[in-house]
Amino acid sequence: MIARTRTAVNRTVLGAVGLSLFLAGSWLTAADPAFADRLPTWWPTAGTGAVLLDGDRLAQLRGEGWWTPTVVTASIGLAVLFALWSLGQLRSGRARRLALPSPGCTVRPQALAEALATRVAPLPGIAHSRARVLPRRRQRLEVRLRVWLEPDTPPDAVLPALRTATAEADRAATPYTARTRVRLSAAPHRTRHVR
């Protein structure tokens, strides 16, 4: 849930920034005489040599008592938000170590993921697999298991073995509670080439 929210926020912010840059660039392009003649009549155009805020208007705003504190506060707020967002992007579950029940014992989430993928790969009907383990709050783990089935293998044939493997992984992750999501895909048929 947290990963989906983070992805949605990232895409929304990226889309908003991209759209605003596109609109600003389009508006500024309209100021160039070479492009202004080709634009439709309804397009808002800026006059030649137009600026977003001229010197006189900027001096008038600086004379207002609210202008400087507002600009400083907004700049600091945006910088703090950007720093928090950047730290949130850098903080990934792969770098953390998970504490095990034995004193002083830890394990990397990537090691758990590799062990699960290695355990699942030789099961009958599975071409190959990939796993990812992401630590969450309150001693929870999110396990994402991607499995590619051999051609013509129905999912029903591998589900019991996958349930057993994921149950073993859940027990191995104690004291953490694991929430496992399995994604099944069909491996493509290999076409034989005649030489």
Side-chain angles (χ1 to χ4, degrees):
M1 183 70 181
I2 294 172
R4 269 188 248 161
T5 304
R6 179 185 294 179
T7 302
V9 169
N10 287 348
R11 288 181 179 172
T12 303
V13 169
L14 184 62
V17 169
L19 181 64
S20 62
L21 289 175
F22 174 75
L23 292 175
S26 300
W27 185 75
L28 290 174
T29 300
D32 188 357
F35 293 105
D37 298 336
R38 299 180 191 165
L39 294 174
T41 55
W42 54 266
W43 190 266
T45 58
T48 55
V51 293
L52 295 176
L53 195 61
D54 65 348
D56 295 336
R57 177 70 179 139
L58 185 60
Q60 182 183 3
L61 284 174
R62 284 182 178 161
E64 299 287 336
W66 58 268
W67 174 256
T68 304
T70 303
V71 169
V72 170
T73 304
S75 300
I76 291 172
L78 287 173
V80 168
L81 282 175
F82 179 72
L84 291 174
W85 177 77
S86 299
L87 287 175
Q89 300 305 308
L90 294 175
R91 187 186 69 194
S92 71
R94 285 179 277 173
R96 281 185 11 197
R97 290 187 173 266
L98 304 175
L100 295 175
S102 301
C105 294
T106 59
V107 65
R108 290 181 304 116
Q110 185 62 29
L112 287 177
E114 290 170 6
L116 180 59
T118 303
R119 167 71 175 89
V120 168
L123 294 175
I126 294 179
H128 61 281
S129 65
R130 186 173 61 207
R132 191 169 179 202
V133 176
L134 301 168
R136 298 297 182 215
R137 294 180 185 147
R138 299 184 187 130
Q139 291 197 328
R140 290 183 313 165
L141 297 177
E142 184 177 337
V143 180
R144 296 178 187 168
L145 180 61
R146 178 86 189 267
V147 176
W148 285 267
L149 303 177
E150 293 284 351
D152 301 324
T153 300
D156 299 355
V158 298
L159 285 178
L162 282 176
R163 279 193 198 110
T164 304
T166 55
E168 289 174 6
D170 291 349
R171 285 192 300 274
T174 304
Y176 295 88
T177 55
R179 179 176 164 250
T180 305
R181 292 173 51 198
V182 179
R183 182 175 173 191
L184 299 175
S185 298
H189 287 275
R190 291 194 178 111
T191 308
R192 296 185 181 188
H193 297 283
V194 178
R195 293 185 184 182

